[in-house]
Every structure is written in C-alpha cells, then in structure tokens.
Amino acid sequence: EAQVTQNPRYLITVTGKKLTVTCSQNMNHEYMSWYRQDPGLGLRQIYYSMNVEVTDKGDVPEGYKVSRKEKRNFPLILESPSPNQTSLYFCASSLHRVTGELFFGEGSRLTVL
Amino acid sequence: AQKVTQAQTEISVVEKEDVTLDCVYETRDTTYYLFWYKQPPSGELVFLIRRNSFDEQNEISGRYSWNFQKSTSSFNFTITASQVVDSAVYFCALSEVNRDDKIIFGKGTRLHILP
C-alpha cells in the first residue's frame, strides 16, 4: 500500500529536549516536505527536499532541521524544542513538486511544555 | 509573491444544500498548478483535484465540481447536495513551475454540514 508514515503520532516533551519526527514514504517520490498546521494559520511549509541530499527552507524553518540521506526518509529534527513549536506536523511526498499531488502522512501532534 | 486566499474561514449549511468554497490566488507565473485538499475530522489530508493553468475546463466529479477562472484568478469548489460526510476543512494550494520550489496553501475553510 502506498503511504507516508510518520512517527511518533503523539508526543509530549519538555523545552530543550531534542526530538526527531521520522517520515518515510514507499512510493519512490523525489519531493518531500514538512508542514505544520496551527489554528487560523493553515498549513505552513517548514522544509522541503527535491531529492536526496537536496533540502531547502520553507516559510517557517526556524528551530527545525531536516536531512535527506535516503530517498524514502525525511526526518524532522527539533534540536531544542520550545513551546511555540507545539503544533500538528505533517510530512508529505510527491512524485513531482509542481505537478504531482501531495501524499500526506497521518500527522504528528507535538506538545512542548 | 505567491498567495492563496480562502476568505471564508468557516461555513455552515444544512444537509442537501449546495455550497461553494472560494479560492483566489496570486501569481506572476504563466504556468502553475492549483490543488484542493480535504481534511476530515479524523485529521488526514486527502488530495481532491489538480488543475493546470492552461486548462480552464470545469471539472465535475459526482457531487463535486470545480470552476477555474484565470480572468478572476479563482479556483472555486462547489459541493452539490451536501452531506454530513462533507464536513471537513478544505485547503486550496498553488505551485508554480518557474518560481521557487514552495507549495503555498490557503488557510483553509472549515465546512460544517448540519443534519
């Protein structure tokens, strides 16, 4: 089954404790992206990757890091989480950045205390 | 700059009514793609439709239809004879061919279908 898998789905952590949200897709998609969803703000892009070893900032990259060492994986790293990073996070992938529809993971709800 | 505006934050209609969700976009590019996604209460995001800037034909899929008008930079989504299962947040999105690699989403419209 074609899918994007994120883990963990739910996480409560404390300020400053590094965490990683994993994302994996099994569709051989080149494009992958991370979004955060906040009430009233819609979906905002954090980072994206056009291919292996190619990553770039989206609209709200501060406080986040990503890597793309393999085509299927695109982890999101919060080196020192802060309460303003409490949000619902979605990973997505697409065959082509411009023309392809995005396939989304189920979302990861993160709470930073 | 890219921009996608969904002016309707929240809409409530009674079941079986028709409802239109508006999407207005801004772009300097001549080649671009527009998308609609649905986010039901369960939270997942599901692709509904893609339209490229050279194809202004309206699209109909069952009770769903989309009206793309380049003259007004709009890509509106209509649900005919709405059902409770249509209750969701709907997002419009834009991607451009010749600009940067971002995909821009509107802030979404929350649709409530009342039984």
Side-chain angles (χ1 to χ4, degrees), chain B residues 20 52 62 68 78 90 98 100 102 104 106 108 110:
Chain B
T20 296
N52 75 57
F68 176 35
T78 297
Y90 291 88
N98 297 317
D100 59 30
K102 299 174 187 174
I104 300 297
R110 184 177 296 277

Side-chain angles (χ1 to χ4, degrees), chain B residues 72-87:
Chain B
T72 56
S73 297
S74 65
F75 186 42
N76 297 337
F77 172 31
T78 297
I79 301 174
T80 303
S82 60
Q83 299 177 3
V84 172
V85 293
D86 296 325
S87 295

Side-chain angles (χ1 to χ4, degrees), chain A:
Chain A
E1 180 190 353
Q3 59 185 8
V4 178
T5 304
Q6 294 177 229
N7 279 296
R9 295 285 315 282
Y10 302 91
L11 179 64
I12 300 174
T13 189
V14 295
T15 300
K17 186 176 181 181
K18 179 180 179 179
L19 68 93
T20 299
V21 187
T22 63
C23 174
S24 181
Q25 51 95 2
N26 63 1
M27 294 168 280
N28 202 36
H29 285 169
E30 291 191 345
Y31 183 82
M32 296 187 74
S33 182
W34 277 101
Y35 295 86
R36 59 178 289 175
Q37 183 178 12
D38 302 288
L41 298 177
L43 288 163
R44 294 181 294 167
Q45 195 169 33
I46 304 171
Y47 269 95
Y48 59 92
S49 170
M50 297 293 284
N51 212 326
V52 176
E53 302 292 358
V54 180
T55 63
D56 211 339
K57 297 177 181 179
D59 293 315
V60 288
E62 296 78 21
Y64 305 95
K65 288 175 59 177
V66 293
S67 67
R68 187 92 182 271
K69 293 184 172 60
E70 305 164 288
K71 198 171 189 178
R72 64 184 294 126
N73 296 324
F74 190 45
L76 179 69
I77 303 158
L78 285 73
E79 293 271 0
S80 182
S82 62
N84 64 13
Q85 292 179 297
T86 293
S87 187
L88 178 60
Y89 292 87
F90 287 97
C91 180
S93 72
S94 175
L95 190 60
H96 189 281
R97 193 272 303 174
V98 176
T99 63
E101 66 266 31
L102 287 166
F103 290 79
F104 285 88
E106 293 179 299
S108 296
R109 185 165 293 282
L110 170 65
T111 301
V112 183
L113 302 175

Side-chain angles (χ1 to χ4, degrees), chain B residues 23-51:
Chain B
C23 174
V24 174
Y25 62 93
E26 295 177 28
T27 178
R28 291 172 291 175
D29 211 336
T30 57
T31 305
Y32 51 90
Y33 286 75
L34 295 160
F35 303 81
W36 276 95
Y37 291 86
K38 175 181 180 179
Q39 186 178 38
S42 51
E44 73 272 23
L45 282 151
V46 178
F47 165 79
L48 293 178
I49 190 171
R50 170 186 56 223
R51 177 64 77 221

